[in-house]
Amino acid sequence: MFRAQISALVFGVGGFGALVAATTSNEWRVTTRASSVITATWVYQGLWMNCAGYIQACRGLMIAAVSLGFFGSIIALFGMKCTKVGGSEKAKAKIACLAGVVFILSGLCSMTGCSLYANKITTEFFDPLFIDQKMGYAYNGATSVMSSRTKYHGGEGDIKTTTPSKQFDKNAYV
């Protein structure tokens, strides 16, 4: 039982560390303004570079996730059977359960923030009317883990009336 608790604590603290690294990363959006391979310019953007509405929402969700992960780690330490703090076995079990719930909430906040950001980038990339820095979006960091959006190729029920240019055909990967 001690091994399971220690493993859960290690995974929780490791996830918290990865969450902090992803939140502070400047590689949420990587664009290139390249006219040729020789004159390529890479532009890195993180959550702290812009003040657009959806970025502020993502930033808030990621900060909430970091805060919840921090408090979940502290609560988990008190709920472990090998610590002397926390009271009886029944009280420690409740504390450990609370730590699990806090970790789950932290994960949901981070997943929602990353999904919102990845959805916005993908929507801008495949939108034929959006021109600003269309050449070469690349996913890195946290958004590459969370992005699972695939391109819809028409058929019945297609809401878009415009067809994307040939540049963004079925082999266009983001």
Side-chain angles (χ1 to χ4, degrees), residues 6-44:
I6 292 173
S7 297
L9 180 68
V10 166
F11 284 127
V13 171
F16 170 68
L19 182 62
V20 169
T23 303
T24 60
S25 173
N26 284 334
E27 296 182 4
W28 279 65
R29 179 190 294 192
V30 179
T31 56
T32 179
R33 298 178 191 142
S35 57
S36 69
V37 176
I38 298 170
T39 61
T41 303
W42 294 90
V43 178
Y44 296 95

Side-chain angles (χ1 to χ4, degrees), residues 38-162:
I38 298 170
T39 61
T41 303
W42 294 90
V43 178
Y44 296 95
Q45 290 182 339
L47 290 178
W48 314 105
M49 304 280 188
N50 261 333
C51 288
Y54 73 95
I55 293 178
Q56 288 180 350
C58 295
R59 190 182 306 153
L61 285 166
M62 294 302 284
I63 289 171
V66 167
S67 299
L68 287 170
F70 174 75
F71 289 120
S73 299
I74 300 300
I75 294 169
L77 283 173
F78 290 133
M80 295 181 66
K81 285 186 177 182
C82 59
T83 60
K84 302 288 183 193
V85 182
S88 67
E89 293 293 320
K90 195 171 188 178
K92 284 183 172 272
K94 288 180 182 178
I95 292 172
C97 184
L98 176 67
V101 169
V102 171
F103 275 132
I104 289 172
L105 288 175
S106 173
L108 286 175
C109 284
S110 66
M111 184 175 65
T112 305
C114 290
S115 296
L116 179 65
Y117 199 90
N119 182 33
K120 185 67 172 176
I121 290 175
T122 308
T123 303
E124 287 175 357
F125 182 79
F126 285 114
D127 185 9
L129 302 176
F130 185 78
I131 309 243
D132 186 37
Q133 296 178 355
K134 176 101 37 171
M135 297 302 293
Y137 274 142
Y139 280 131
N140 277 337
T143 53
S144 64
V145 176
M146 301 307 294
S147 177
S148 63
R149 181 180 168 130
T150 58
K151 185 179 172 191
Y152 181 72
H153 291 288
E156 274 189 50
D158 189 11
I159 344 175
K160 287 190 176 182
T161 56
T162 60

